[in-house]
Amino acid sequence: MDDNDQPAPPLPSTRTPGATRKGVETRARIIRGALEALESGGMETLTTRKIAASAGVKLATLHYYFDSKENLLLAVLEDLIADMAEAYRQDMSMPSDPEERIEALIRSMWRYVQRTRNKQLAQTELTLYALRTQGAEWLAARQYNAYIDFYCRLVFHGMGELTEEQRKIGTAIARFMLIGIDGLILQNFALHNNGDTNEGVETLVIATRDLLHRLRSEAGIQPG
Amino acid sequence: MDDNDQPAPPLPSTRTPGATRKGVETRARIIRGALEALESGGMETLTTRKIAASAGVKLATLHYYFDSKENLLLAVLEDLIADMAEAYRQDMSMPSDPEERIEALIRSMWRYVQRTRNKQLAQTELTLYALRTQGAEWLAARQYNAYIDFYCRLVFHGMGELTEEQRKIGTAIARFMLIGIDGLILQNFALHNNGDTNEGVETLVIATRDLLHRLRSEAGIQPG
DNA sequence: GTCTATATGGGGATAGAC
DNA sequence: GTCTATCCCCATATAGAC
């Protein structure tokens, strides 16, 4: 995975009951319901009642699967991490040159962000929530490292193994891309002014490609 | 100020009573108390009771100055915007070359962010809150535009008036810097791994300087 | 595993004395 | 302008039948 390795203790008490087929489905429905309610109303107005309603489940059922609201929310965040990889692969063209991959990846991310504005807001809120929740900070870190690892691989391969050199360069690239995307998300949220934000995307593409150049010449150039 | 101009209706009902000297002070104490409580515990655990306690005021007094928790929180966000300019000027060296100013400004921002981690978290939470609050979205936009305007001026002058050309270039630069800083803040929060984040700062400095070059040669070069 | 019904506490907000 | 005391709702969580 990555350098700053996480202890990643299992989520405290998500209470995984029987694991019946039906049980697993219901659990998933509740998580989806929570995400929907969060996307539509934000953290401030998010209640277990709304979540239950949105999931088509009674309040008590929710508590049968998640012993506390907190653990439910952390489960939602975990789920978002898992979804991410799937989502990006959808519309990504896959050039062979890493430089062009960077560009394709950034544009793909940005399209995804734009068509899932509320989901991004929800994810940002959940990440902050995790950072504020005693003993859940590691989840935020895991989320970030998952993104970094994912982008890193996508820059170089279709998903295979990386050389040490590639991993190092790719990680730096991925970190910078992620910085840019997160910043773009916030700015786009606040200004909801897509024209200006698109300029930011172009600038990020150029800056990231330049970074790749720099890192490669520092190492001794060879192509992807 | 900027292109996407805000209507900026006054905050609905902050109930500005008499405006006695003492009243103004108490109001300020409550805002500070709210910020402190927010910094230490986050939105999720922020209650009017904690705010009142943190401000050394009784709950009813809080409601004498702010008719609702919502309006109090929005007032806190407004206050943060006003503080910002003050804070940055503190430790900024002021080179005459815009390129070096960019570097100095980014480093200054980053120092400030690092020594006020919790304040940044609080501000991010408040911004998201505003984005989620019906009729308060403009506050988030105003905040962003205030930052952009501020950085833009700082890149070129000690604070004086700008030519149209400078304003245009400066705004693009400021937007990109802000994207980078926001992304850095989130990444640093999540990974709290300052070593790696500092690399991101270096990359941002280089990228922003390059952006300045590019914008200038697109326009017809002339220095600061 | 899912429900109805309920316990319990804490939250925002107000009344009215000083 | 600040306080004490209180209202009342709604949130999380549980008990226990089905």
Side-chain angles (χ1 to χ4, degrees), chain B residues 18-89:
Chain B
T20 333
R21 181 144 49 266
K22 207 208 291 191
V24 174
E25 274 170 24
T26 307
R27 196 187 128 99
R29 280 232 316 287
I30 294 172
I31 290 181
R32 275 200 307 275
L35 184 58
E36 278 171 32
L38 183 56
E39 285 181 29
S40 77
M43 267 284 176
E44 195 70 10
T45 65
L46 185 68
T47 68
T48 50
R49 288 176 150 83
K50 279 188 195 165
I51 295 172
S54 165
V57 158
K58 294 300 172 183
L59 182 56
T61 303
L62 184 155
H63 274 100
Y64 176 76
Y65 286 93
F66 300 92
D67 64 347
S68 71
K69 183 187 178 184
E70 173 179 326
N71 285 319
L72 167 53
L73 293 183
L74 298 180
V76 174
L77 186 54
E78 285 226 299
D79 202 61
L80 277 173
I81 300 173
D83 279 2
M84 174 267 303
E86 198 53 35
Y88 281 129
R89 230 169 335 217

Side-chain angles (χ1 to χ4, degrees), chain A residues 47-49 59 63 68-69:
Chain A
T47 68
T48 51
R49 287 176 149 85
L59 182 57
H63 275 100
S68 72
K69 183 187 179 183

